[in-house]
Amino acid sequence: MSAHVKKPGWFTVNVFNRAVAWLTRRGLSVWGSRVLAVRGRKSGEWRTTPVNLLTVDGQQYLLAPRGHVQWTRNMRAAGGGELRLGKNVDVFTATEVADDDKVPLLRAYLKRWKAEVGVFFNGVGPDSPDEDLRRIAPDHPVFRITVTN
């Protein structure tokens, strides 16, 4: 597994993520945003962060543009969590997607959100060749979401 992590800057943490999470908690999705809640792998306490929910061929996915960050580590340990939009809470299980299966998901994610997160993909975009997407696949965890409630 890659150790790739791109930590967010002050503006992202203190302004952008808080604004998106505030809107999402009130039921206003910003380009597919949800608030992800997952139990901390050490504390067991709920941890939340705004995420972009990707849907491809009727399946839902969470992709980590910043790499192997805290929520991805917690997700591996917990095996699932909650996706929140306003008062709607979807409880889910998560299955990590193998690197070899990520190419179409990375491409779809970048088509939808490249303007927001493209800087985290080292120059790879939605129109890049498959081999470039395969090269960066280990740096970006992807989880298939199965809603259970």
Side-chain angles (χ1 to χ4, degrees), residues 26-76:
R26 279 144 187 83
L28 299 170
S29 178
V30 180
W31 281 49
S33 67
R34 300 292 187 277
V35 172
L36 168 66
V38 64
R39 295 261 183 199
R41 64 193 179 282
K42 295 177 184 174
S43 70
E45 295 179 21
W46 285 105
R47 305 294 183 192
T48 60
T49 191
V51 293
N52 293 322
L53 182 62
L54 174 68
T55 302
V56 174
D57 297 331
Q59 285 286 325
Q60 294 181 319
Y61 299 90
L62 292 177
L63 190 147
R66 291 180 176 275
H68 297 271
V69 293
Q70 294 300 324
W71 75 258
T72 64
R73 295 178 185 131
N74 290 338
M75 182 79 73
R76 285 185 190 107

Side-chain angles (χ1 to χ4, degrees), residues 123-137:
V124 176
D127 300 322
S128 294
D130 286 357
E131 54 268 13
D132 288 348
L133 291 161
R134 271 191 215 91
R135 178 177 47 78
I136 66 163

Side-chain angles (χ1 to χ4, degrees), residues 2-149:
S2 167
H4 175 80
V5 175
K6 295 246 182 176
K7 293 191 177 196
W10 183 90
F11 182 81
T12 299
V13 170
N14 293 295
V15 179
F16 186 75
N17 280 358
R18 286 183 184 185
V20 170
W22 186 86
L23 290 167
T24 304
R25 280 193 301 272
R26 279 144 187 83
L28 299 170
S29 178
V30 180
W31 281 49
S33 67
R34 300 292 187 277
V35 172
L36 168 66
V38 64
R39 295 261 183 199
R41 64 193 179 282
K42 295 177 184 174
S43 70
E45 295 179 21
W46 285 105
R47 305 294 183 192
T48 60
T49 191
V51 293
N52 293 322
L53 182 62
L54 174 68
T55 302
V56 174
D57 297 331
Q59 285 286 325
Q60 294 181 319
Y61 299 90
L62 292 177
L63 190 147
R66 291 180 176 275
H68 297 271
V69 293
Q70 294 300 324
W71 75 258
T72 64
R73 295 178 185 131
N74 290 338
M75 182 79 73
R76 285 185 190 107
E82 297 178 352
L83 288 172
R84 302 172 181 173
L85 178 61
K87 293 181 181 182
N88 184 43
V89 176
D90 289 327
V91 178
F92 68 88
T93 58
T95 305
E96 193 157 5
V97 175
D99 290 343
D100 291 340
D101 299 327
K102 291 179 185 176
V103 169
L105 304 172
L106 287 163
R107 190 176 306 284
Y109 192 88
L110 285 164
K111 278 184 182 174
R112 172 104 177 159
W113 290 291
K114 184 178 183 224
E116 180 183 335
V117 298
V119 68
F120 308 124
F121 290 87
N122 297 322
V124 176
D127 300 322
S128 294
D130 286 357
E131 54 268 13
D132 288 348
L133 291 161
R134 271 191 215 91
R135 178 177 47 78
I136 66 163
D139 294 339
H140 302 283
V142 179
F143 297 89
R144 184 172 24 96
I145 301 304
T146 303
V147 175
T148 60
N149 60 332

